[in-house]
Amino acid sequence: MMNMPEKDPKGDDTSEARPPEKDSYAVDARYARGVQINSGPGGNSMVNNFFEQPSLDEDLRTLRLRDLEGAFRKFIECGRDRQVDLLSEYERAGEIANLICARKGPAQCAELLYGMAAERFMKRLGELTRDHRSAVMTQLAERLSKDGSGAAVRLREYAAANPGRAAQLLIGITRVDSSSARFRTHRAAQLLPGVEYVLGLKDEMAAALLRALLFRYAVDSASGERYPLPELTRDAPGLLERLVISDVHRTARLMAALGSAKLVAACIRRLRLASATRLLDGLAVVSQTGFEAVLRALPQPMAAVLLGRVSDSNAASVSGRPWTSGWPWIDAVLALMTYANAIADRLVSRAGLDASEIRNIQDIWRAACRTVKNSDYYRRQRNHLAGAAVVLFVGLVLALLLG
């Protein structure tokens, strides 16, 4: 008796389905994974098998079997995502990247590198020639400046992989060709991984990054070179405060590495009194001559206040003391006037007077008054008053005699 396939209660055949014979033109959809069937007129069908696309390993083997020119031609034939994968995995990807820069342009190379993981990204940058790397990093900085939320994540990953090159990208963002220099520096400050990242850089690179982030720039009309002005960007005071709080001694060394007393003085003018005092004490440890040069670059009333707040040993070592009027209230008013711009900027950014700013104003007033009280100027006040009284008395006597 012939064995019949079992049927379920509904009468459906539950036996295992078999694929069609080789010479059959029928296609069972249950065996059509990766297969597309296009029906044409007259019932004709065309089958496309997507499994015919080569895998990444197959493409890598193909590139390894060819010389550089052949590998480059094969690379160009691939899609964008596959090109990114090949640049990540291919042993001669650095040479391919240089050919892309030379023949397709740095923008094309930057687009492919931008999609890579941070470690491979930094490795490929290092394999570019110097000129190609400079051009590609300019393109990458422009992409980062325009990227949305993804740019901050990328910068953190880049900084972890190679801190120095990440700093170069941040500097590049401040130089992107756009209509607003204020936007460029603000964007770079937004993408900064943190003050600890800046403090951990080598001195030369950290100073270069701070110079780009802290100061406005001008262009020399003759040479076309950019140079920093002693004017701070909008994000500079907040960044400086965080640097001083995090590590004042390291920050002082980086400020000294700027090599300009005027630039350092511009930074101190925008800091609150407590932070400025700490930074000056740190500068005195790094360089006594630099410390005194910064004091001379500050407005005299401000320098007098700060000199009265620094440590006694640093104050005693200063040869020429700043000028004061000798009148506590006058000196306090003059000192507040030198801090007026910095205070006003902070008030505008915070949209009101907060407790910390009130304490800062009080500290400036008291420090200015105390600076005079702790000096020899009271004797000068007495002498001035005595001299004025004598002049008035003599004038009164002469007026009476001549009248």
Side-chain angles (χ1 to χ4, degrees):
M1 181 176 181
M2 182 181 297
N3 291 327
M4 301 296 292
E6 296 180 1
K7 294 187 178 182
D8 63 11
K10 295 181 180 179
D12 295 333
D13 190 349
T14 59
S15 62
E16 182 180 356
R18 298 179 182 276
E21 298 295 335
K22 281 186 176 181
D23 57 351
S24 173
Y25 293 99
V27 177
D28 192 328
R30 289 172 290 181
Y31 294 90
R33 300 187 192 95
V35 174
Q36 180 182 8
I37 306 171
N38 298 324
S39 298
N44 296 324
S45 298
M46 181 175 63
V47 180
N48 297 325
N49 187 356
F50 294 110
F51 289 127
E52 291 178 358
Q53 292 290 338
S55 66
L56 175 60
D57 289 339
E58 290 172 335
D59 280 342
L60 286 170
R61 281 195 294 270
T62 302
L63 264 60
R64 288 165 185 154
L65 292 173
R66 301 187 180 190
D67 60 8
L68 183 59
E69 282 296 329
F72 179 72
R73 288 195 297 270
K74 174 62 179 176
F75 178 87
I76 294 300
E77 294 172 0
C78 299
R80 192 261 182 191
D81 292 341
R82 179 54 57 86
Q83 288 180 350
V84 172
D85 293 337
L86 290 173
L87 279 180
S88 298
E89 303 297 334
Y90 183 42
E91 294 80 359
R92 303 180 68 182
E95 297 173 81
I96 295 290
N98 278 298
L99 285 177
I100 295 171
C101 288
R103 301 179 185 181
K104 301 293 184 179
Q108 179 69 20
C109 185
E111 181 185 356
L112 295 174
L113 294 181
Y114 201 66
M116 295 174 61
E119 291 287 346
R120 296 299 176 92
F121 169 85
M122 289 300 176
K123 184 177 180 181
R124 295 297 171 255
L125 274 181
E127 292 169 342
L128 293 173
T129 64
R130 183 175 180 178
D131 291 342
H132 288 162
R133 182 165 58 249
S134 177
V136 168
M137 291 190 73
T138 299
Q139 294 291 329
L140 289 167
E142 186 170 353
R143 293 179 72 88
L144 285 166
S145 69
K146 297 176 180 178
D147 199 349
S149 58
V153 176
R154 288 182 189 275
L155 250 301
R156 284 197 296 270
E157 294 174 350
Y158 294 163
N162 191 316
R165 288 217 175 93
Q168 290 176 334
L169 285 171
L170 284 166
I171 294 172
I173 292 172
T174 67
R175 300 176 181 177
V176 168
D177 185 16
S178 69
S179 58
S180 173
R182 182 174 299 181
F183 165 77
R184 297 196 300 264
T185 53
H186 178 61
R187 182 60 173 155
Q190 281 182 320
L191 297 178
L192 192 70
V195 294
E196 294 78 10
Y197 162 71
V198 179
L199 296 172
L201 291 169
K202 294 181 179 179
D203 285 358
E204 184 177 354
M205 182 55 70
L209 179 58
L210 284 179
R211 193 179 289 110
L213 291 174
L214 297 180
F215 303 103
R216 304 189 190 282
Y217 276 75
V219 179
D220 187 275
S221 56
S223 63
E225 295 183 357
R226 300 169 74 252
Y227 61 91
L229 299 172
E231 300 176 12
L232 269 62
T233 61
R234 64 182 260 193
D235 298 285
L239 175 58
L240 282 169
E241 291 275 357
R242 295 194 299 273
L243 286 168
V244 170
I245 292 171
S246 180
D247 189 339
V248 65
H249 299 294
R250 174 69 174 146
T251 303
R253 290 198 297 273
L254 295 179
M255 290 290 102
L258 294 175
S260 170
K262 287 185 177 180
L263 295 181
V264 179
C267 293
I268 289 176
R269 290 185 65 169
R270 298 292 297 275
L271 290 174
R272 289 188 174 88
L273 184 62
S275 297
T277 302
R278 293 182 62 196
L279 183 55
L280 269 178
D281 274 325
L283 287 169
V285 175
V286 176
S287 170
Q288 183 64 32
T289 57
F291 166 67
E292 295 188 19
V294 171
L295 280 176
R296 289 193 297 270
L298 290 169
Q300 292 287 301
M302 182 183 291
V305 170
L306 288 167
L307 193 58
R309 287 284 298 257
V310 298
S311 65
D312 293 338
S313 59
N314 291 332
S317 63
V318 176
S319 53
R321 302 187 69 84
W323 174 89
T324 61
S325 70
W327 300 83
W329 284 16
I330 293 177
D331 288 328
V333 170
L334 292 175
L336 282 175
M337 289 175 65
T338 62
Y339 278 99
N341 286 338
I343 293 173
D345 287 345
R346 288 194 292 267
L347 293 182
V348 169
S349 63
R350 288 171 175 77
L353 192 65
D354 58 8
S356 63
E357 201 59 60
I358 292 174
R359 286 195 299 271
N360 184 52
I361 294 172
Q362 292 173 338
D363 288 344
I364 295 169
W365 181 273
R366 291 168 183 166
C369 294
R370 193 178 302 115
T371 298
V372 175
K373 290 179 181 178
N374 291 340
S375 68
D376 296 330
Y377 287 112
Y378 263 127
R379 281 195 294 272
R380 291 177 60 184
Q381 287 183 39
R382 181 192 61 196
N383 295 337
H384 290 161
L385 287 172
V390 169
V391 170
L392 287 173
F393 178 74
V394 171
L396 179 60
V397 171
L398 290 175
L400 293 173
L401 291 176
L402 296 176

